[in-house]
Amino acid sequence: MENKTELLKRHLIPLLGLNKTIKVVLIFILIAILFLEAFSVYIVIKFSHPKSINLHPNIESYGIKNYENVSFNSFNDNIKLNGYLIKNGNSKKTVIVCHGYGDSKFMVGGRTPSSVKVDNLQLSKIFLKEGYNTFLFDFRGHGDYAGRDGVTIGFKEQQDLLGAVNFIKSKGIGDTIGVIGFSMGAATALSSIDKTNDINFVIADSPFSDLKTYLHSNMKIWTGLPDFPFVPMILLNFKLIYGVDYNTVSPVNIVSKSKIPILLIHGKKDTTIPYTESLKIEKSFKNSKSKLVSFPYSTHVGSYFMYPKKYEEVLKGFLQSIEL
């Protein structure tokens, strides 16, 4: 018979070897998880600090004479933002222009093909003709403020828009306040209407319907990374780092609670934020004057560039229909 020492050696040595293998595997898994976590944090930081176009055009070359460079505070925090207020005589009506991700107060489409742009000064002239002042400003992390604060794709940007609304009210030109937004700016505008009674209408060009759902389905467009495991990790870290409450960036839900008139504009060839996103929002309309206008061949925020006359007609028709 084997003695006890030999018996223990024969059975325990293989077990010890197995335990070492398990430890190595567990350590490898832990290192992989830590690497993925660190990489997802890097992606969130990079994603939230886009390269932003920062233009300083000659405003008077557009035939615009009555304007001023102003600063104001974002609502509920100490971030100071910059904008240009373009006055229209003694008008008490103002349209606030909200740019998209990576854009600036003067130009939308900085991340799209070079030919597809929205010149916000040219756009402003449409509203001037209709009797409105216009207010152009940079969201945090954009334009004059590129890289200073994290971009949250419509969460903290709502505070910037609400700060702009308060600024317009303080100037005595906010009897009627409308907002026109593009892409991220469009979703921000729609997401803000349940947080103030001072926005009377919204024109939203190429919005997403719900931030979390949109990012979950389209993260690859923005990062080029596979959905698993990066989508859940990036969504979680975006929330942890910036405190993003995804429920507050949900145009489809917020529009369903609002009775203000809304004009949606979307290109059917949009692959960045698909046209179906606006179709979802359209189903939430509560105002009979709200409508969705589609442009058959335009890409992301490309409708104004591709169909300038039709686009202007759509804007004028909407403004005249709501008669504010």
Side-chain angles (χ1 to χ4, degrees), residues 4-269:
K4 290 182 178 180
T5 302
E6 291 175 344
L7 188 65
L8 287 172
K9 284 181 180 179
R10 189 154 62 86
H11 288 88
L12 285 179
I13 289 175
L15 287 174
L16 290 173
L18 182 61
N19 285 337
K20 287 181 180 179
T21 302
I22 293 173
K23 286 181 180 178
V24 170
V25 171
L26 289 175
I27 290 172
F28 176 79
I29 292 173
L30 180 60
I31 291 172
I33 291 172
L34 291 174
F35 171 78
L36 290 172
E37 170 63 11
F39 186 68
S40 72
V41 169
Y42 164 76
I43 292 298
V44 168
I45 298 299
K46 183 179 179 181
F47 181 61
S48 60
H49 291 80
K51 291 181 180 179
S52 175
I53 54 176
N54 190 14
L55 305 174
H56 294 90
N58 181 348
I59 298 177
E60 293 190 7
S61 69
Y62 288 79
I64 296 172
K65 305 296 183 183
N66 191 4
Y67 65 91
E68 58 179 311
N69 188 357
V70 301
S71 61
F72 64 98
N73 288 327
S74 178
F75 185 73
N76 246 1
D77 56 35
N78 294 319
I79 295 179
K80 188 169 286 293
L81 301 171
N82 171 265
Y84 275 82
L85 177 61
I86 303 172
K87 298 291 291 295
N88 189 353
N90 295 318
S91 174
K92 303 295 183 183
K93 305 187 299 182
T94 302
V95 170
I96 300 172
V97 182
C98 295
H99 64 74
Y101 175 83
D103 298 325
S104 78
K105 57 183 170 288
F106 291 121
M107 184 73 72
V108 170
R111 299 174 62 83
T112 60
S114 59
S115 61
V116 181
K117 306 289 184 189
V118 177
D119 184 333
N120 286 340
L121 288 170
Q122 194 65 39
L123 180 75
S124 295
K125 294 172 71 175
I126 298 175
F127 296 107
L128 291 172
K129 290 176 186 176
E130 295 301 308
Y132 289 84
N133 309 296
T134 55
F135 185 48
L136 319 178
F137 75 97
D138 287 323
F139 281 121
R140 64 184 68 204
H142 289 86
D144 292 334
Y145 300 92
R148 296 190 196 177
D149 298 282
V151 176
T152 57
I153 323 297
F155 176 58
K156 291 185 178 180
E157 287 73 20
Q158 292 178 55
Q159 302 302 310
D160 301 343
L161 174 54
L162 294 175
V165 169
N166 283 350
F167 172 78
I168 294 302
K169 295 288 286 186
S170 73
K171 299 288 284 187
I173 54 174
D175 288 1
T176 297
I177 297 178
V179 182
I180 182 169
F182 298 85
S183 191
M184 178 191 78
T188 299
L190 292 173
S191 297
S192 300
I193 57 179
D194 67 337
K195 301 168 185 70
T196 177
N197 293 320
D198 292 322
I199 295 177
N200 301 107
F201 65 88
V202 171
I203 301 169
D205 188 324
S206 311
F208 54 76
S209 63
D210 180 84
L211 178 58
K212 188 173 184 179
T213 302
Y214 170 72
L215 290 178
H216 198 278
S217 302
N218 296 274
M219 189 70 76
K220 199 170 186 177
I221 293 175
W222 297 90
T223 65
L225 297 171
D227 289 345
F228 185 83
F230 291 105
V231 166
M233 297 184 77
I234 289 172
L235 288 176
L236 177 60
N237 281 308
F238 198 41
K239 180 176 181 177
L240 292 175
I241 293 171
Y242 293 110
V244 174
D245 181 353
Y246 291 107
N247 292 327
T248 66
V249 196
S250 182
V252 69
N253 291 323
I254 293 168
V255 166
S256 69
K257 306 171 193 173
S258 174
K259 294 182 179 180
I260 71 168
I262 294 166
L263 170 62
L264 296 179
I265 299 172
H266 220 122
K268 289 190 173 182
K269 296 295 184 181

Side-chain angles (χ1 to χ4, degrees), residues 159 170 292 305 324:
Q159 302 302 310
S170 73
L292 166 61
F305 175 83
L324 292 171

